[in-house]
Amino acid sequence: MATHAVHTRDTGPRRRIEFDKHLPVDHRLNTVYRIGAGLIGAFLVAFGVLGLIHHIGYFDTGGATVTGLNTNGTLSVLSICIGAILLVGMVIGGNVASTLNMVLGILFLLNGFLFLGLLDTPNNFLAFKIQNVLFSFVVGLLLMTFGMYGRVGSTLPHDNPYWRHRHPDAVEREHPADGG
């Protein structure tokens, strides 16, 4: 019988979760993390490259539009960098892609709120318009959804490491520790 590397109880104030070694590589949720990161990353890279091809100034706040979104050189470079990070997360997969999706999703949401407040001000250095803000919100929610898929929910399977971490007593009843 395989042993699982999930802590059942910690005596200290912090509980740490450890994963079965095979789960991040072979688990069916890995595909969701990877595809989500890859599709959004590829779009961001393409958007950034198209923005750079148009030779828009780096801090130009004019009305330069690429694929329906306002852009400037700085936003184009930033989009390429974030897209590349998401593509790397797709290649690595597993918990790295999941966590990366969640973190970047939160950052996209915060960025949307920040630039919503900066619309029509001289401080709008990424040349955001309302369509950029909406795009930032949608991408943020999508990335967070991809990242949380399989981590949260009321119907997680019992082989899921997050379910195991939240229900250590049930794990102990299902897989009693080997005596000896």
Side-chain angles (χ1 to χ4, degrees), residues 18-129:
E18 293 182 19
F19 301 97
D20 292 332
K21 297 298 182 204
H22 73 280
L23 191 57
V25 178
D26 297 334
H27 202 271
R28 66 188 177 276
L29 300 177
N30 190 29
T31 304
V32 174
Y33 308 149
R34 294 178 100 161
I35 290 173
L39 290 175
I40 293 173
F43 177 81
L44 289 173
V45 168
F47 171 75
V49 168
L50 288 173
L52 288 178
I53 288 174
H54 285 90
H55 300 292
I56 304 165
Y58 278 92
F59 292 103
D60 183 23
T61 57
T65 302
V66 174
T67 66
L69 298 172
N70 210 45
T71 190
N72 62 16
T74 305
L75 182 58
S76 295
V77 170
L78 189 60
S79 296
I80 292 170
C81 292
I82 298 297
I85 290 170
L86 284 168
L87 290 171
V88 167
M90 178 193 75
V91 170
I92 294 171
N95 294 323
V96 171
S98 172
T99 302
L100 186 64
N101 284 345
M102 286 195 333
V103 168
L104 288 177
I106 291 168
L107 291 176
F108 265 92
L109 286 176
L110 292 174
N111 184 56
F113 282 116
L114 172 67
F115 280 94
L116 182 62
L118 294 177
L119 286 177
D120 298 327
T121 68
N123 297 324
N124 186 2
F125 63 93
L126 292 181
F128 265 45
K129 299 285 186 198

Side-chain angles (χ1 to χ4, degrees), residues 122-169:
N123 297 324
N124 186 2
F125 63 93
L126 292 181
F128 265 45
K129 299 285 186 198
I130 192 66
Q131 64 266 26
N132 295 77
V133 171
L134 294 174
F135 176 80
S136 190
F137 286 148
V138 169
V139 168
L141 290 173
L142 281 172
L143 285 172
M144 286 177 47
T145 301
F146 292 142
M148 285 189 272
Y149 186 75
R151 286 189 179 209
V152 297
S154 61
T155 59
L156 294 176
H158 292 204
D159 69 338
N160 185 295
Y162 301 100
W163 184 90
R164 294 171 152 296
H165 180 67
R166 292 180 197 125
H167 302 91
D169 296 333

